[in-house]
Amino acid sequence: MYKDKIRKYFEDHRDEMLSDIAKLVAIDSQRTEAKDGMPYGEGVFKALSTALSMSEKYGFYTKNWENHVGTASLYNDDERALEIMVHLDIVPPGEGWTKTEPFVMKEIDGRIYGRGTADDKGPAVAALYAMRAIKELEIPLSKNVRIMFGCDEECYSEDIKYYFSKTEPADMTFSPDADFPVINIEKGLYYGMMKGKLKSDGKKSVISISAGEKDNVVPGKAYASIKGFKPNEIESIVAEVENITGTTIELTERGEILDILVKGVPAHASTPEEGCNSDTALLELLKRINLDKSELSDAIETLSEMFPHGDTNGTAAGVYAADDESGEITVSLNIMKYDGENFEAVYDSRMPICSTYKSMDPIRNKAAEIGLEFEDDFLPPHYVPSDSEFVKTLIASYEKYSGNKGEAKAMGGATYVHGIKNAVAFGAALEGEDNKMHGADESAVIDTLLMSGMIFADAIYQLCK
Ligand SMILES: [Zn+2]
């Protein structure tokens, strides 16, 4: 019944909303060193003060939580049925901006450009305007709604740790810090490191390995140095491995030493099938060239069996898992290092909701068998049922204003709300809209931000009426 009124409210407030976003974009709110009363530095402090005075001006009840976060509530009550979690901190601007200066918001062809326009200042203001619309259109609610302005999403999320040490989560929480429609499942995050001292002796042996750099990135480059080989002795094996793996391999002779460079295609660890892993191709090559037997060559043999090139769902390692709602597990070997003595291998896994810490037992056991120690870290999957009233209501609000069919979806990365009771990521970009988040020329589509505001207003009404 309020559909047209809400739509008109946003059409009428377009310019005002954009000028509020510009005010926040103008503040360089990267996390910097803490100062007295400013736990995340001065820029973040300024952005929070600006957002809170904006909220006050629009008639909301604000509270500053010692500059860790700030909140703005529709009613003067600590109880709230719904919380909207946004964040005001940004990643560094970086180089390569062509459309505008990173802290000067500019409108070009239906988009606004500037650091934070998409992540997450634009969506934050859209959510604030959704609450404004409810208030100014005098749409009656029986329950309270609150917006939480976070200040440390991009670094360590210390802001919400502080906040939830002072207050309980709301009954329902959404965070417009991703895509529409609704992300109701975030896979579990697992990080495993195998390490130990391994001998690499014999005439034909590995001297060093340096393959991959970041534990959450499928590596695109792997280096190794071997001795006891001439390039022509292994050329045909190299060609075979290039053929099987789709990588390119370069050999460089350096006296007695042969340097190997394997080039694949990097990808995010949550979507390893989009990359071509240089490390698993290197294992394949080292396995085939007939190294003299040593502790290291044994480890290479075992690792290449556990992580064969192209196997991105843990089948060979014995940890394959999948379920209808969250899809398949991903497993990706992302780092290998060897300096002649110390060996280290790191893999990343994104685990579906059916999996637990124990699901990784096969890999842990195998590592123990080859004499490697194991270190790991596990963040359990996050899940809000897609048939819950909450998720169904958000989808309905999305469908009402976007005209698209909406469906809850799973993702491999963790968002701001991971681990918070009954919390989902909801908006504020449409699927397939490239906003260059964290890159140069970050932007947001103005019509999508306005539509997000309408969707949030409708969701607030439906969930709090
Ligand atoms: Zn963000």
mmCIF file of all heavy atoms in Angstrom, residues 45-92:
data_model
loop_
_atom_site.group_PDB
_atom_site.id
_atom_site.type_symbol
_atom_site.label_atom_id
_atom_site.label_comp_id
_atom_site.label_asym_id
_atom_site.label_seq_id
_atom_site.Cartn_x
_atom_site.Cartn_y
_atom_site.Cartn_z
ATOM 1 N N PHE A 45 36.882 8.384 12.656
ATOM 2 C CA PHE A 45 36.170 9.165 13.672
ATOM 3 C C PHE A 45 35.328 10.267 13.021
ATOM 4 O O PHE A 45 34.157 10.456 13.341
ATOM 5 C CB PHE A 45 37.196 9.753 14.655
ATOM 6 C CG PHE A 45 36.669 10.852 15.525
ATOM 7 C CD1 PHE A 45 35.932 10.564 16.668
ATOM 8 C CD2 PHE A 45 36.907 12.190 15.197
ATOM 9 C CE1 PHE A 45 35.438 11.590 17.480
ATOM 10 C CE2 PHE A 45 36.420 13.215 15.996
ATOM 11 C CZ PHE A 45 35.685 12.919 17.134
ATOM 12 N N LYS A 46 35.935 10.963 12.062
ATOM 13 C CA LYS A 46 35.218 12.057 11.382
ATOM 14 C C LYS A 46 34.024 11.526 10.591
ATOM 15 O O LYS A 46 32.958 12.134 10.585
ATOM 16 C CB LYS A 46 36.160 12.785 10.417
ATOM 17 C CG LYS A 46 37.021 13.820 11.095
ATOM 18 C CD LYS A 46 37.742 14.642 10.025
ATOM 19 C CE LYS A 46 38.787 15.543 10.679
ATOM 20 N NZ LYS A 46 39.906 15.822 9.765
ATOM 21 N N ALA A 47 34.228 10.405 9.914
ATOM 22 C CA ALA A 47 33.126 9.843 9.122
ATOM 23 C C ALA A 47 31.974 9.450 10.046
ATOM 24 O O ALA A 47 30.803 9.695 9.733
ATOM 25 C CB ALA A 47 33.613 8.636 8.331
ATOM 26 N N LEU A 48 32.308 8.871 11.189
ATOM 27 C CA LEU A 48 31.251 8.469 12.124
ATOM 28 C C LEU A 48 30.527 9.699 12.680
ATOM 29 O O LEU A 48 29.292 9.725 12.727
ATOM 30 C CB LEU A 48 31.834 7.619 13.271
ATOM 31 C CG LEU A 48 30.810 7.150 14.296
ATOM 32 C CD1 LEU A 48 29.715 6.297 13.646
ATOM 33 C CD2 LEU A 48 31.475 6.351 15.423
ATOM 34 N N SER A 49 31.273 10.719 13.078
ATOM 35 C CA SER A 49 30.633 11.934 13.608
ATOM 36 C C SER A 49 29.696 12.539 12.571
ATOM 37 O O SER A 49 28.574 12.963 12.894
ATOM 38 C CB SER A 49 31.685 12.997 13.962
ATOM 39 O OG SER A 49 32.681 12.452 14.765
ATOM 40 N N THR A 50 30.142 12.541 11.305
ATOM 41 C CA THR A 50 29.320 13.111 10.234
ATOM 42 C C THR A 50 28.027 12.306 10.053
ATOM 43 O O THR A 50 26.941 12.877 9.945
ATOM 44 C CB THR A 50 30.121 13.129 8.915
ATOM 45 O OG1 THR A 50 31.335 13.863 9.146
ATOM 46 C CG2 THR A 50 29.346 13.788 7.795
ATOM 47 N N ALA A 51 28.160 10.981 10.048
ATOM 48 C CA ALA A 51 26.964 10.139 9.853
ATOM 49 C C ALA A 51 26.000 10.288 11.027
ATOM 50 O O ALA A 51 24.771 10.305 10.847
ATOM 51 C CB ALA A 51 27.370 8.677 9.691
ATOM 52 N N LEU A 52 26.539 10.424 12.232
ATOM 53 C CA LEU A 52 25.652 10.543 13.390
ATOM 54 C C LEU A 52 24.956 11.906 13.415
ATOM 55 O O LEU A 52 23.768 11.986 13.750
ATOM 56 C CB LEU A 52 26.430 10.304 14.701
ATOM 57 C CG LEU A 52 26.827 8.839 14.960
ATOM 58 C CD1 LEU A 52 27.606 8.703 16.259
ATOM 59 C CD2 LEU A 52 25.600 7.912 14.986
ATOM 60 N N SER A 53 25.662 12.975 13.027
ATOM 61 C CA SER A 53 24.960 14.261 13.050
ATOM 62 C C SER A 53 23.923 14.336 11.933
ATOM 63 O O SER A 53 22.855 14.920 12.090
ATOM 64 C CB SER A 53 25.914 15.460 13.050
ATOM 65 O OG SER A 53 26.794 15.354 11.991
ATOM 66 N N MET A 54 24.226 13.675 10.814
ATOM 67 C CA MET A 54 23.226 13.543 9.741
ATOM 68 C C MET A 54 21.968 12.848 10.279
ATOM 69 O O MET A 54 20.843 13.296 10.078
ATOM 70 C CB MET A 54 23.849 12.654 8.654
ATOM 71 C CG MET A 54 23.592 13.014 7.234
ATOM 72 S SD MET A 54 24.553 11.815 6.211
ATOM 73 C CE MET A 54 25.887 12.835 5.646
ATOM 74 N N SER A 55 22.187 11.747 10.982
ATOM 75 C CA SER A 55 21.061 10.949 11.502
ATOM 76 C C SER A 55 20.246 11.750 12.509
ATOM 77 O O SER A 55 19.011 11.659 12.565
ATOM 78 C CB SER A 55 21.575 9.684 12.192
ATOM 79 O OG SER A 55 22.443 8.989 11.354
ATOM 80 N N GLU A 56 20.944 12.540 13.313
ATOM 81 C CA GLU A 56 20.274 13.358 14.320
ATOM 82 C C GLU A 56 19.405 14.416 13.651
ATOM 83 O O GLU A 56 18.268 14.645 14.052
ATOM 84 C CB GLU A 56 21.337 14.046 15.163
ATOM 85 C CG GLU A 56 21.048 14.048 16.644
ATOM 86 C CD GLU A 56 22.336 14.310 17.409
ATOM 87 O OE1 GLU A 56 22.670 15.503 17.569
ATOM 88 O OE2 GLU A 56 23.013 13.326 17.777
ATOM 89 N N LYS A 57 19.993 15.021 12.623
ATOM 90 C CA LYS A 57 19.268 16.061 11.874
ATOM 91 C C LYS A 57 17.950 15.498 11.321
ATOM 92 O O LYS A 57 16.956 16.196 11.242
ATOM 93 C CB LYS A 57 20.171 16.549 10.740
ATOM 94 C CG LYS A 57 19.641 17.741 9.978
ATOM 95 C CD LYS A 57 20.670 18.234 8.952
ATOM 96 C CE LYS A 57 20.534 17.520 7.620
ATOM 97 N NZ LYS A 57 21.615 17.826 6.671
ATOM 98 N N TYR A 58 17.953 14.219 10.941
ATOM 99 C CA TYR A 58 16.749 13.620 10.382
ATOM 100 C C TYR A 58 15.823 13.065 11.464
ATOM 101 O O TYR A 58 14.842 12.392 11.169
ATOM 102 C CB TYR A 58 17.114 12.531 9.366
ATOM 103 C CG TYR A 58 17.929 13.065 8.208
ATOM 104 C CD1 TYR A 58 18.995 12.358 7.683
ATOM 105 C CD2 TYR A 58 17.621 14.322 7.655
ATOM 106 C CE1 TYR A 58 19.749 12.867 6.632
ATOM 107 C CE2 TYR A 58 18.378 14.838 6.605
ATOM 108 C CZ TYR A 58 19.441 14.115 6.104
ATOM 109 O OH TYR A 58 20.181 14.627 5.064
ATOM 110 N N GLY A 59 16.143 13.328 12.734
ATOM 111 C CA GLY A 59 15.216 13.011 13.816
ATOM 112 C C GLY A 59 15.366 11.628 14.429
ATOM 113 O O GLY A 59 14.461 11.132 15.088
ATOM 114 N N PHE A 60 16.542 10.985 14.219
ATOM 115 C CA PHE A 60 16.730 9.655 14.816
ATOM 116 C C PHE A 60 17.446 9.737 16.156
ATOM 117 O O PHE A 60 18.111 10.732 16.449
ATOM 118 C CB PHE A 60 17.498 8.750 13.851
ATOM 119 C CG PHE A 60 16.767 8.543 12.557
ATOM 120 C CD1 PHE A 60 17.299 8.986 11.351
ATOM 121 C CD2 PHE A 60 15.519 7.939 12.553
ATOM 122 C CE1 PHE A 60 16.605 8.827 10.167
ATOM 123 C CE2 PHE A 60 14.817 7.775 11.369
ATOM 124 C CZ PHE A 60 15.358 8.227 10.175
ATOM 125 N N TYR A 61 17.275 8.708 16.946
ATOM 126 C CA TYR A 61 17.941 8.639 18.247
ATOM 127 C C TYR A 61 19.325 8.038 18.037
ATOM 128 O O TYR A 61 19.447 6.884 17.649
ATOM 129 C CB TYR A 61 17.117 7.795 19.221
ATOM 130 C CG TYR A 61 15.792 8.447 19.518
ATOM 131 C CD1 TYR A 61 14.672 8.169 18.730
ATOM 132 C CD2 TYR A 61 15.675 9.375 20.551
ATOM 133 C CE1 TYR A 61 13.461 8.796 18.965
ATOM 134 C CE2 TYR A 61 14.459 10.011 20.796
ATOM 135 C CZ TYR A 61 13.359 9.719 19.996
ATOM 136 O OH TYR A 61 12.167 10.345 20.229
ATOM 137 N N THR A 62 20.345 8.824 18.274
ATOM 138 C CA THR A 62 21.693 8.344 17.970
ATOM 139 C C THR A 62 22.454 8.005 19.242
ATOM 140 O O THR A 62 22.147 8.503 20.326
ATOM 141 C CB THR A 62 22.504 9.409 17.199
ATOM 142 O OG1 THR A 62 22.631 10.560 18.027
ATOM 143 C CG2 THR A 62 21.832 9.776 15.898
ATOM 144 N N LYS A 63 23.403 7.144 19.064
ATOM 145 C CA LYS A 63 24.259 6.787 20.181
ATOM 146 C C LYS A 63 25.656 6.497 19.630
ATOM 147 O O LYS A 63 25.802 5.801 18.619
ATOM 148 C CB LYS A 63 23.703 5.550 20.898
ATOM 149 C CG LYS A 63 24.511 5.174 22.133
ATOM 150 C CD LYS A 63 23.790 4.094 22.942
ATOM 151 C CE LYS A 63 24.728 3.575 24.025
ATOM 152 N NZ LYS A 63 24.134 2.499 24.824
ATOM 153 N N ASN A 64 26.632 7.058 20.285
ATOM 154 C CA ASN A 64 28.008 6.766 19.885
ATOM 155 C C ASN A 64 28.592 5.746 20.860
ATOM 156 O O ASN A 64 28.662 5.992 22.054
ATOM 157 C CB ASN A 64 28.833 8.065 19.897
ATOM 158 C CG ASN A 64 30.224 7.837 19.334
ATOM 159 O OD1 ASN A 64 30.791 6.749 19.461
ATOM 160 N ND2 ASN A 64 30.766 8.850 18.696
ATOM 161 N N TRP A 65 28.996 4.615 20.338
ATOM 162 C CA TRP A 65 29.530 3.531 21.168
ATOM 163 C C TRP A 65 31.044 3.688 21.238
ATOM 164 O O TRP A 65 31.793 2.921 20.628
ATOM 165 C CB TRP A 65 29.120 2.174 20.618
ATOM 166 C CG TRP A 65 27.632 2.014 20.510
ATOM 167 C CD1 TRP A 65 26.795 2.673 19.666
ATOM 168 C CD2 TRP A 65 26.803 1.143 21.291
ATOM 169 N NE1 TRP A 65 25.486 2.272 19.858
ATOM 170 C CE2 TRP A 65 25.465 1.323 20.860
ATOM 171 C CE3 TRP A 65 27.037 0.209 22.316
ATOM 172 C CZ2 TRP A 65 24.389 0.638 21.410
ATOM 173 C CZ3 TRP A 65 25.973 -0.481 22.850
ATOM 174 C CH2 TRP A 65 24.666 -0.262 22.408
ATOM 175 N N GLU A 66 31.461 4.701 21.959
ATOM 176 C CA GLU A 66 32.891 5.014 22.174
ATOM 177 C C GLU A 66 33.700 5.029 20.872
ATOM 178 O O GLU A 66 34.856 4.599 20.852
ATOM 179 C CB GLU A 66 33.520 4.022 23.176
ATOM 180 C CG GLU A 66 33.139 4.268 24.624
ATOM 181 C CD GLU A 66 31.754 3.735 24.989
ATOM 182 O OE1 GLU A 66 31.376 2.656 24.489
ATOM 183 O OE2 GLU A 66 31.043 4.409 25.751
ATOM 184 N N ASN A 67 33.029 5.503 19.806
ATOM 185 C CA ASN A 67 33.689 5.601 18.495
ATOM 186 C C ASN A 67 34.132 4.264 17.894
ATOM 187 O O ASN A 67 34.922 4.239 16.950
ATOM 188 C CB ASN A 67 34.868 6.577 18.542
ATOM 189 C CG ASN A 67 34.380 8.009 18.623
ATOM 190 O OD1 ASN A 67 33.505 8.411 17.869
ATOM 191 N ND2 ASN A 67 34.912 8.771 19.567
ATOM 192 N N HIS A 68 33.607 3.173 18.434
ATOM 193 C CA HIS A 68 33.804 1.879 17.765
ATOM 194 C C HIS A 68 32.740 1.723 16.688
ATOM 195 O O HIS A 68 33.029 1.281 15.576
ATOM 196 C CB HIS A 68 33.711 0.727 18.764
ATOM 197 C CG HIS A 68 34.934 0.582 19.605
ATOM 198 N ND1 HIS A 68 36.006 -0.167 19.223
ATOM 199 C CD2 HIS A 68 35.249 1.108 20.811
ATOM 200 C CE1 HIS A 68 36.955 -0.116 20.159
ATOM 201 N NE2 HIS A 68 36.515 0.654 21.128
ATOM 202 N N VAL A 69 31.507 2.043 17.037
ATOM 203 C CA VAL A 69 30.401 2.096 16.073
ATOM 204 C C VAL A 69 29.479 3.218 16.536
ATOM 205 O O VAL A 69 29.622 3.730 17.644
ATOM 206 C CB VAL A 69 29.572 0.777 16.000
ATOM 207 C CG1 VAL A 69 30.464 -0.439 15.784
ATOM 208 C CG2 VAL A 69 28.695 0.577 17.216
ATOM 209 N N GLY A 70 28.523 3.579 15.655
ATOM 210 C CA GLY A 70 27.466 4.499 16.069
ATOM 211 C C GLY A 70 26.149 3.896 15.654
ATOM 212 O O GLY A 70 26.102 3.075 14.729
ATOM 213 N N THR A 71 25.066 4.269 16.352
ATOM 214 C CA THR A 71 23.767 3.745 15.946
ATOM 215 C C THR A 71 22.755 4.880 15.836
ATOM 216 O O THR A 71 22.874 5.907 16.502
ATOM 217 C CB THR A 71 23.231 2.689 16.947
ATOM 218 O OG1 THR A 71 23.278 3.230 18.276
ATOM 219 C CG2 THR A 71 24.066 1.422 16.912
ATOM 220 N N ALA A 72 21.759 4.663 14.967
ATOM 221 C CA ALA A 72 20.644 5.601 14.821
ATOM 222 C C ALA A 72 19.374 4.774 14.814
ATOM 223 O O ALA A 72 19.233 3.860 13.999
ATOM 224 C CB ALA A 72 20.779 6.386 13.527
ATOM 225 N N SER A 73 18.476 5.056 15.774
ATOM 226 C CA SER A 73 17.256 4.262 15.904
ATOM 227 C C SER A 73 16.031 5.109 15.605
ATOM 228 O O SER A 73 16.018 6.314 15.848
ATOM 229 C CB SER A 73 17.122 3.714 17.330
ATOM 230 O OG SER A 73 18.285 3.011 17.696
ATOM 231 N N LEU A 74 15.007 4.432 15.100
ATOM 232 C CA LEU A 74 13.748 5.134 14.829
ATOM 233 C C LEU A 74 13.076 5.524 16.140
ATOM 234 O O LEU A 74 12.578 6.639 16.289
ATOM 235 C CB LEU A 74 12.832 4.222 14.007
ATOM 236 C CG LEU A 74 11.521 4.821 13.540
ATOM 237 C CD1 LEU A 74 11.748 6.038 12.644
ATOM 238 C CD2 LEU A 74 10.705 3.768 12.781
ATOM 239 N N TYR A 75 13.054 4.612 17.082
ATOM 240 C CA TYR A 75 12.456 4.890 18.388
ATOM 241 C C TYR A 75 13.536 4.894 19.455
ATOM 242 O O TYR A 75 14.565 4.244 19.312
ATOM 243 C CB TYR A 75 11.387 3.853 18.741
ATOM 244 C CG TYR A 75 10.284 3.760 17.718
ATOM 245 C CD1 TYR A 75 9.967 2.543 17.123
ATOM 246 C CD2 TYR A 75 9.574 4.899 17.333
ATOM 247 C CE1 TYR A 75 8.961 2.457 16.161
ATOM 248 C CE2 TYR A 75 8.565 4.823 16.382
ATOM 249 C CZ TYR A 75 8.265 3.601 15.796
ATOM 250 O OH TYR A 75 7.290 3.525 14.847
ATOM 251 N N ASN A 76 13.255 5.596 20.537
ATOM 252 C CA ASN A 76 14.239 5.725 21.606
ATOM 253 C C ASN A 76 14.194 4.487 22.507
ATOM 254 O O ASN A 76 13.619 4.509 23.582
ATOM 255 C CB ASN A 76 13.943 6.997 22.413
ATOM 256 C CG ASN A 76 15.083 7.313 23.371
ATOM 257 O OD1 ASN A 76 16.157 6.735 23.277
ATOM 258 N ND2 ASN A 76 14.829 8.230 24.291
ATOM 259 N N ASP A 77 14.783 3.422 22.015
ATOM 260 C CA ASP A 77 14.641 2.140 22.707
ATOM 261 C C ASP A 77 15.846 1.279 22.329
ATOM 262 O O ASP A 77 16.235 1.245 21.167
ATOM 263 C CB ASP A 77 13.353 1.461 22.229
ATOM 264 C CG ASP A 77 13.003 0.253 23.082
ATOM 265 O OD1 ASP A 77 13.861 -0.217 23.866
ATOM 266 O OD2 ASP A 77 11.869 -0.244 22.928
ATOM 267 N N ASP A 78 16.424 0.597 23.297
ATOM 268 C CA ASP A 78 17.554 -0.270 22.991
ATOM 269 C C ASP A 78 17.082 -1.554 22.303
ATOM 270 O O ASP A 78 17.830 -2.204 21.578
ATOM 271 C CB ASP A 78 18.342 -0.586 24.270
ATOM 272 C CG ASP A 78 19.789 -0.949 23.929
ATOM 273 O OD1 ASP A 78 20.374 -0.294 23.026
ATOM 274 O OD2 ASP A 78 20.315 -1.896 24.537
ATOM 275 N N GLU A 79 15.835 -1.925 22.549
ATOM 276 C CA GLU A 79 15.261 -3.077 21.856
ATOM 277 C C GLU A 79 15.032 -2.711 20.402
ATOM 278 O O GLU A 79 14.606 -1.604 20.084
ATOM 279 C CB GLU A 79 13.900 -3.434 22.471
ATOM 280 C CG GLU A 79 13.972 -4.037 23.868
ATOM 281 C CD GLU A 79 14.627 -5.406 23.824
ATOM 282 O OE1 GLU A 79 14.184 -6.236 23.015
ATOM 283 O OE2 GLU A 79 15.587 -5.627 24.584
ATOM 284 N N ARG A 80 15.300 -3.640 19.514
ATOM 285 C CA ARG A 80 14.964 -3.422 18.108
ATOM 286 C C ARG A 80 14.764 -4.774 17.463
ATOM 287 O O ARG A 80 15.464 -5.742 17.767
ATOM 288 C CB ARG A 80 16.001 -2.580 17.384
ATOM 289 C CG ARG A 80 17.354 -3.207 17.127
ATOM 290 C CD ARG A 80 18.270 -3.180 18.347
ATOM 291 N NE ARG A 80 19.600 -3.672 18.012
ATOM 292 C CZ ARG A 80 20.401 -4.278 18.873
ATOM 293 N NH1 ARG A 80 20.021 -4.491 20.123
ATOM 294 N NH2 ARG A 80 21.586 -4.681 18.500
ATOM 295 N N ALA A 81 13.753 -4.818 16.560
ATOM 296 C CA ALA A 81 13.484 -6.070 15.856
ATOM 297 C C ALA A 81 14.475 -6.245 14.724
ATOM 298 O O ALA A 81 14.885 -7.349 14.402
ATOM 299 C CB ALA A 81 12.057 -6.054 15.315
ATOM 300 N N LEU A 82 14.852 -5.115 14.114
ATOM 301 C CA LEU A 82 15.680 -5.180 12.904
ATOM 302 C C LEU A 82 16.878 -4.249 13.032
ATOM 303 O O LEU A 82 16.741 -3.107 13.470
ATOM 304 C CB LEU A 82 14.837 -4.761 11.695
ATOM 305 C CG LEU A 82 15.560 -4.681 10.345
ATOM 306 C CD1 LEU A 82 16.051 -6.046 9.882
ATOM 307 C CD2 LEU A 82 14.639 -4.069 9.282
ATOM 308 N N GLU A 83 18.024 -4.764 12.644
ATOM 309 C CA GLU A 83 19.222 -3.927 12.599
ATOM 310 C C GLU A 83 19.797 -3.961 11.185
ATOM 311 O O GLU A 83 19.817 -5.009 10.543
ATOM 312 C CB GLU A 83 20.257 -4.453 13.583
ATOM 313 C CG GLU A 83 21.482 -3.570 13.707
ATOM 314 C CD GLU A 83 21.968 -3.514 15.157
ATOM 315 O OE1 GLU A 83 22.342 -4.582 15.685
ATOM 316 O OE2 GLU A 83 21.958 -2.439 15.751
ATOM 317 N N ILE A 84 20.242 -2.797 10.721
ATOM 318 C CA ILE A 84 20.882 -2.717 9.406
ATOM 319 C C ILE A 84 22.338 -2.345 9.651
ATOM 320 O O ILE A 84 22.629 -1.286 10.176
ATOM 321 C CB ILE A 84 20.198 -1.660 8.513
ATOM 322 C CG1 ILE A 84 18.689 -1.934 8.434
ATOM 323 C CG2 ILE A 84 20.829 -1.655 7.118
ATOM 324 C CD1 ILE A 84 17.900 -0.844 7.715
ATOM 325 N N MET A 85 23.227 -3.265 9.297
ATOM 326 C CA MET A 85 24.656 -3.046 9.564
ATOM 327 C C MET A 85 25.364 -2.529 8.318
ATOM 328 O O MET A 85 25.442 -3.226 7.306
ATOM 329 C CB MET A 85 25.319 -4.356 9.991
ATOM 330 C CG MET A 85 25.089 -4.679 11.460
ATOM 331 S SD MET A 85 25.729 -6.315 11.921
ATOM 332 C CE MET A 85 27.435 -6.181 11.450
ATOM 333 N N VAL A 86 25.876 -1.316 8.401
ATOM 334 C CA VAL A 86 26.653 -0.742 7.294
ATOM 335 C C VAL A 86 28.029 -0.383 7.838
ATOM 336 O O VAL A 86 28.264 -0.497 9.034
ATOM 337 C CB VAL A 86 25.950 0.519 6.727
ATOM 338 C CG1 VAL A 86 24.591 0.162 6.171
ATOM 339 C CG2 VAL A 86 25.831 1.605 7.801
ATOM 340 N N HIS A 87 28.940 0.049 6.954
ATOM 341 C CA HIS A 87 30.226 0.490 7.498
ATOM 342 C C HIS A 87 30.751 1.730 6.780
ATOM 343 O O HIS A 87 30.465 1.953 5.600
ATOM 344 C CB HIS A 87 31.267 -0.642 7.502
ATOM 345 C CG HIS A 87 31.743 -1.076 6.158
ATOM 346 N ND1 HIS A 87 32.831 -0.515 5.536
ATOM 347 C CD2 HIS A 87 31.290 -2.028 5.309
ATOM 348 C CE1 HIS A 87 33.034 -1.109 4.368
ATOM 349 N NE2 HIS A 87 32.105 -2.021 4.195
ATOM 350 N N LEU A 88 31.486 2.536 7.527
ATOM 351 C CA LEU A 88 31.961 3.830 7.032
ATOM 352 C C LEU A 88 33.455 3.838 6.752
ATOM 353 O O LEU A 88 33.969 4.798 6.179
ATOM 354 C CB LEU A 88 31.646 4.934 8.062
ATOM 355 C CG LEU A 88 30.159 5.105 8.409
ATOM 356 C CD1 LEU A 88 30.001 6.054 9.586
ATOM 357 C CD2 LEU A 88 29.397 5.650 7.198
ATOM 358 N N ASP A 89 34.159 2.818 7.177
ATOM 359 C CA ASP A 89 35.594 2.764 6.876
ATOM 360 C C ASP A 89 35.783 2.303 5.429
ATOM 361 O O ASP A 89 34.897 1.684 4.835
ATOM 362 C CB ASP A 89 36.329 1.831 7.855
ATOM 363 C CG ASP A 89 35.795 0.412 7.827
ATOM 364 O OD1 ASP A 89 34.566 0.224 7.885
ATOM 365 O OD2 ASP A 89 36.592 -0.540 7.723
ATOM 366 N N ILE A 90 36.936 2.622 4.875
ATOM 367 C CA ILE A 90 37.218 2.312 3.466
ATOM 368 C C ILE A 90 38.583 1.639 3.351
ATOM 369 O O ILE A 90 39.384 1.687 4.286
ATOM 370 C CB ILE A 90 37.257 3.601 2.603
ATOM 371 C CG1 ILE A 90 38.214 4.628 3.231
ATOM 372 C CG2 ILE A 90 35.877 4.182 2.424
ATOM 373 C CD1 ILE A 90 38.627 5.735 2.296
ATOM 374 N N VAL A 91 38.820 1.048 2.177
ATOM 375 C CA VAL A 91 40.174 0.561 1.892
ATOM 376 C C VAL A 91 40.962 1.720 1.277
ATOM 377 O O VAL A 91 40.370 2.677 0.787
ATOM 378 C CB VAL A 91 40.163 -0.661 0.931
ATOM 379 C CG1 VAL A 91 39.479 -1.843 1.572
ATOM 380 C CG2 VAL A 91 39.518 -0.312 -0.392
ATOM 381 N N PRO A 92 42.298 1.641 1.274
ATOM 382 C CA PRO A 92 43.091 2.731 0.703
ATOM 383 C C PRO A 92 42.686 3.017 -0.743
ATOM 384 O O PRO A 92 42.275 2.101 -1.462
ATOM 385 C CB PRO A 92 44.526 2.199 0.770
ATOM 386 C CG PRO A 92 44.512 1.192 1.864
ATOM 387 C CD PRO A 92 43.146 0.573 1.838
#
